[in-house]
Each structure stands twice: as C-alpha cells, then as structure tokens.
Amino acid sequence: MAVPSPTHAPVQDDDPEIAAERAYLATARAALRRMHRDVVTTETQLTAAAEDNDNFAERFYQRRARELRALALVDLPDVPLFFGRLDLDSGDGERLYIGRRHVHDGAGEPLVIDWRAPVSTAFYRATRDDRQGVALRRRYGFSGAAELTAYEDEPLTGTAAGDTAAAFLAAEIERPRSGPMRDIVATIQPEQDDLVRAPLDRTVCVQGAPGTGKTAVGLHRVAYLLYTERDRLGRTGVAVVGPNRSFLSYIRRVLPALGEVNVTQTTVEELIGRAGADRAADPAVARLKGDARMAAVLSRALWLHVTRPAEGVMYAKGASRYRVPDHEVREIVAGLRGTGRYGPGRDAAAKRIAHAVLVQMERRGESPDDRTHNTVARSQPVRRLLDQVWPRLTPEQVLFRLLSDADFLAKAARTDLTAGEQALLLWEKPARSWRSAKWTAADSALLDELGDLIERTPSIGHLVLDEAQDLSPMQCRAVGRRCATGSMTVLGDIAQGTAPAATGDWTELLAHLGKPDARLETLDRGYRVPAQIIDYAARLLPEIAPGLGAPTSARRSPGALRVTAVPDLAAALVPACAESLAGDGSVGVIAADAGIRAMREGLAAAGLEPALLGEDDGAMERARLVCVPATLAKGLEFDAVIVAEPARIVAAEPRGLHRLYVALTRAVSALHVLHTEPLPAALRAS
C-alpha cells in the first residue's frame, strides 16, 4: 500500500526518507529479536536454577509466565512493529514511534512506544484545536509482507492541507485482505479509542452497526486492559466469547499481533460446557427454554427435592445415645431451605444437626472439639437422614424429571408457565433415565442454571461477549455468572439478532447478564462498509429493528453495489465469482445453508477452487474464494461479497430477514446480489 500525503508526490523506493524509516524499522526488529533472545536465555538459566525448588506449583507458574513473555516477543514477519510517529513540539526534535508493543534498545531506551501507553493517546486524539503537544503526526503504509512502502504526514500546526487522516483510513480499509481479521490499531478513531480505554471496573456495551468496528473495539480493549491491569487480570483471567468457531478462527490473530497470547477464545456453548446438541431443537421450544421465566421454574424444581423430615436423628457414641428430635430437625431444614445454594445448604444442615448433638454432649459433661463435630456431621445417621430429605443431585437429574414428569413440572411452574407452555416443554418420548437423556443446545443454559443453584460458578476478571444480541435470557444468565465479580465488554447489533430467543432490547439483556449499570454506547458511523451497501441493507431496518436508527458510512466506493436478476443462478454464479477474483482480495459467496454445498461444487467444477466455511477450518486463510453458509457469516468481512438468492436466506428460518441483513453487510468494497426469485419487498423499492 502506498499512501502519500496530499501535499507530496507518490513516494519512490529511493526516497531518502523512506530509506531512513526502513533503517529505523530494521533496528527496531533487531532489538525485538534481542529482547526475545534475552527472555529465552534467562528462562533457560532460571529453569536450571529452579531444579532445587521443591514447590512444583511455583516452578510451573514461573516457567509459564516466562514462556508467555517469550511468545509475546516473537517478531511476526507480516506485522509491522510500528504504524505511526509523533513529532513533538518541544523544540528538541523529540519523536515517538507508536507501535503494537514496546521495543527498547540494549540500554533500555525506547525505540517503539506501545500504543496502549498514556503518551500514545495523542496519536489517536490530537487535533489542530487540541494538539496535546504534537506538531506532526505521521502514518506509515506497508505492503502485505510488512515492508514499509509509504508515509503520510499530518501537520497539526500551520495551514491545513486536507483531511489526510481520512485518506489514510480509507486506504487502509480498502487494502485487499485475505485470511483472518487484522487489527485496526493504526486506524482507531477517537470514538472507538474512548471505548478501548474505558477502565476495567466498568462494563461497556456497544451497539454497533455493520462496519463500525465493534469487534475490533472489543479485542483492542482486552489488549489495553491487559496492559494497564496485567497483574489483576493475570490472577482472574480473561475470555473472548464469539458466536461460533468459524468466527473465532477469523479473529484469532488480532490479539497475538498486539502481543497478547494468554487470552481464552471460546464460544458460548463451549464456555457453558454443559451439553451438546444431540437433539434437534424446535424453535418454539428453544425460545421457551431461553425465556427468563425458566430461572424461577428451575429454582423451584430443585428445592422441591428438599422434603419435610418425618423423624429425628439418633447418634451413638460408645454406650451413649444422643437424639435430635424430629421437630428440631424440621426447624434446621426449614431454616436453610432456599436461603443459599443447594450443595452448601445440605452441608450446613449436616453441621447444624451435628451442633445439636454436641450441645447434648456438653450438657453431659463432655468436651467435644471440632474433630468430634466433623465426625458427627459425616456420620451414617446424619447422612441417611439427609439422603431422604435433602438428596444429593446433579443438574441432569433435576432437568430430566422436570421435562419428563408433567405433575412435577406443574408444581415447579406454578403460574409462571401456561398449561400450553408446559405441554410444549414436556418430552413426547422421555429417555429411560437421566443418564441416557439426549440434550439440546437450549438445554445447556438450563443445566447451567441448575448447576449454579447447586454450587457457585467461578468468576473471571473480564469477558468480551461478541454478537451478544443472539443470546437468550437464560444464556445471558449463564455467561454473566462467569463474570459476576468482573467486568464485561458486550458487543452486538440488535438488527443482526437471528437466534430464536434473541433479545431485542439492550437494557433487558444487560439485566440478564447481571450488569444493569453498564455504560451503553452506540457506534452508528461505519468505516468498513461503503455507503451504497449500508444504505441498501438499511432498507430492512424498519421491519427487523424499527426502533434503531439507520447507520451511516464514512466512505463511498464506486460500483460498490450491484443487484442482478438472472434466469439461472448456477450459470450466473461462476462468471460473477470469476469477475470478483480478477481483482485483489478475498471473495465470499453467501447463501442459504441448504444450497451452499451445491454452489461450492459448481464453482469447483468450473476450476475456481472455492473453500467451504464450517467444513474447512482454514477456509479463510487458505482460499481467496470462500463459500459461506448464511448462518456462519456473522462477524466476517470480505473484500467482495456475492449474496446468492436472498429470498432463500429469508425463507430458511423465522428471523430470515435479520439473517439477510447480516449477509448484505459483509462486504468492504463490493456487493453483488444475484437472484432468480423476487427480492424481499423492502429491497425491491427504488
């Protein structure tokens, strides 16, 4: 990419300024390699010295920390070390090179300043009206091999010579892409930077229209928080949660490029980890199981297993007998029932019964201690009683009974669920036991709710939740539990909600996540999707998200949108793909899931070598042409997109118009809509 300043002629390879900057880049790369070598050498020495340390855990964590440090210092050949420079107006010619990580020379002098450092903030926020001590801001252009090819200067003093920042942003966005998502650290805009640098103790929710960079904001916020709160988050952990594995594969290189390698990236299903999708879920059933009312139903279902004791406890010690009468046991159980979690409640009941026995021992002149108390609490008479009135349970046992026993479901549901809803929940052909039950994906959140009612779910320090609008209330509760004592970055777009139980209101969703006081921000100015495309897709908004304002785009791209009616879709698809492949960058063919495989086979037969997302794990990295099932398109970007037969995408699922909106907004440069069937009414308008 070459991005000359509007006040300069295009930069030549023999330009002395380019040569000087390339030399500086080479020096910085050499310094980074030395830093990596020093860490590896130190690790080897410390490992040898630690052999005498008997504390295995301490040795393990020290070694792991050094391994991660070394991994973070690996020089990625296709990632430029710096992307900008600040010339300060201090008068002594001081310059700061801004990059993805800190690099220093052998004497400790900084060669590259980490973009997250406070001094780097001026690179993103300095203006002519608020220069923040900056005289000139320089941005660099790089080739695909991270070779410095150009620079662009933006003086913040003197007479303005045009919007060089906008020119650089447009050129960077339009640079042909292939493979996984790139970071946007060189082009973060002020409104994005404000969200990226939000403090750790505040949950931030971003309603972002297509192309506004909300996913990039979330990932860069993780990198920023790990820089500013590394010790704290190193203890509590960080996770990025995406909608599916294809999406996670797409974003997997962003954080390592920023020097962060110790972040868990997972899906909602993997995060919850309770059950697979062994049974197909009816959308109506999935919607009901995702309803927030199920939380109260599940709580009652669990506590219905705690029954009224019919007898007391007799504990024998030698020739002595100690009896806790039935009325006292009933008071103990009643006092604990429903006041905390089920598992600790049972343990507490055993301890209180044991305490009643110890009181009797003391009255007889004995001196029982803690060991005696523990022995009584674990004794067979106490365990036998609790097994009857407070049985040990697994989430699967409770949910199996709830979904297979109509009378039990009615008791647990009370007035929260109608008779019709109860009938919808009940299995037509229950399994013989909970051990052989086949659970659906919708059951996963219910099992997790029960699991937390039995034992507390551990919490991490920070969690990024992308495409959050697709989560049901019960899934939100499951995710929120895993960050109950931490903060979150919640990302999504109400207009892109495609799941059966998708939530249509951020206030409601944040309440289900346990973060009702989150800072809610809207990004409605897109940078990545051309105006022609976003305006075309926005025609669907009055129907799919009537309360949402139409997004805008910061750029227009000539020929960005074409809509073509064709008599034969298969015949038209091959030349359309060939035409797109004649240009640079990636090409995505998005169609309804049921037809995408046949399209891939037709394109392969024509010699175009397409990959199929979801079937080929390296599809977006290996191939320029990728066939994308509509259900996997969310969050992805391609230079050119061909949306094949929109009507079939709409017809494939109840929220098909939402799915089509997603498909139409995946293009960074050009969108071509091919159809034989009539388009949805909103898209037929002139």
Side-chain angles (χ1 to χ4, degrees), residues 105-184:
D105 63 14
E109 289 297 318
L111 297 174
V112 180
I113 304 294
D114 195 301
W115 67 276
R116 298 166 289 187
V119 70
S120 300
T121 306
F123 182 80
Y124 301 104
R125 301 194 183 184
T127 64
R128 286 179 170 273
D129 295 330
D130 180 17
R131 294 193 296 110
Q132 301 184 26
V134 177
L136 180 142
R137 175 164 43 211
R138 172 171 288 187
R139 297 177 174 87
Y140 297 97
F142 292 86
S143 68
E147 180 186 13
L148 195 153
T149 58
Y151 64 89
E152 178 182 51
D153 287 338
E154 182 186 4
L156 299 186
T157 60
T159 303
D163 192 351
T164 59
F168 179 86
L169 174 63
E172 172 63 19
I173 289 173
E174 293 168 4
R175 177 159 59 98
R177 69 204 57 239
S178 62
M181 176 182 174
R182 300 192 296 252
D183 66 72
I184 64 163

Side-chain angles (χ1 to χ4, degrees), residues 125 143 148 223 267 305 401 560 612:
R125 301 194 183 184
S143 68
L148 195 153
T267 65
H305 288 82
R401 185 180 178 188
L612 179 59

Side-chain angles (χ1 to χ4, degrees), residues 25-35 37 75 81 103:
L25 176 60
T27 299
R29 285 200 180 280
L32 182 63
R33 290 193 294 271
R34 176 192 50 75
M35 291 168 63
R37 186 169 57 251
D75 184 11
L81 277 189
V103 181

Side-chain angles (χ1 to χ4, degrees), residues 177 217 249 399 434 480 617:
R177 69 204 57 239
V217 165
S249 177
L399 188 58
W434 64 270
D617 290 339

Side-chain angles (χ1 to χ4, degrees), residues 170-354:
E172 172 63 19
I173 289 173
E174 293 168 4
R175 177 159 59 98
R177 69 204 57 239
S178 62
M181 176 182 174
R182 300 192 296 252
D183 66 72
I184 64 163
V185 66
T187 59
I188 293 174
Q189 299 302 293
E191 67 270 24
Q192 296 171 329
D193 189 62
D194 181 57
L195 296 171
V196 166
R197 297 177 191 268
L200 175 60
D201 59 359
R202 187 72 185 271
T203 288
V204 174
C205 177
V206 181
Q207 157 62 40
T212 55
K214 56 185 178 294
T215 296
V217 165
L219 295 174
H220 287 70
R221 187 182 184 210
V222 167
Y224 174 77
L225 292 176
L226 285 169
Y227 178 85
T228 58
E229 302 280 359
R230 191 169 301 279
D231 291 342
R232 182 174 167 186
L233 291 177
R235 295 190 302 270
T236 56
V238 178
V240 175
V241 182
N244 52 60
R245 271 284 143 196
S246 295
F247 174 83
L248 294 176
S249 177
Y250 178 61
I251 68 170
R252 63 186 171 84
R253 286 190 177 181
V254 173
L255 288 171
L258 298 173
E260 300 300 341
V261 295
N262 194 26
V263 177
T264 299
Q265 298 190 22
T266 186
T267 65
V268 173
E269 291 77 12
E270 292 167 347
L271 182 73
I272 297 174
R274 288 282 179 180
D278 295 323
R279 298 173 62 219
D282 178 270
V285 177
R287 191 179 304 110
L288 179 57
K289 287 181 176 180
D291 195 293
R293 293 174 295 163
M294 289 301 299
V297 175
L298 293 170
S299 179
R300 284 193 289 268
L302 176 64
W303 290 106
L304 280 172
H305 288 82
V306 178
T307 58
R308 192 169 185 264
E311 57 184 24
V313 173
M314 177 69 75
Y315 178 77
K317 182 182 180 184
S320 301
R321 300 289 184 272
Y322 306 93
R323 178 175 178 79
V324 182
D326 54 358
H327 69 84
E328 188 171 352
V329 174
R330 282 196 293 270
E331 289 178 0
I332 290 172
V333 171
L336 290 169
R337 184 182 185 277
T339 59
R341 282 176 168 77
Y342 186 93
R346 175 188 160 104
D347 295 339
K351 292 176 180 178
R352 290 194 184 183
I353 293 172

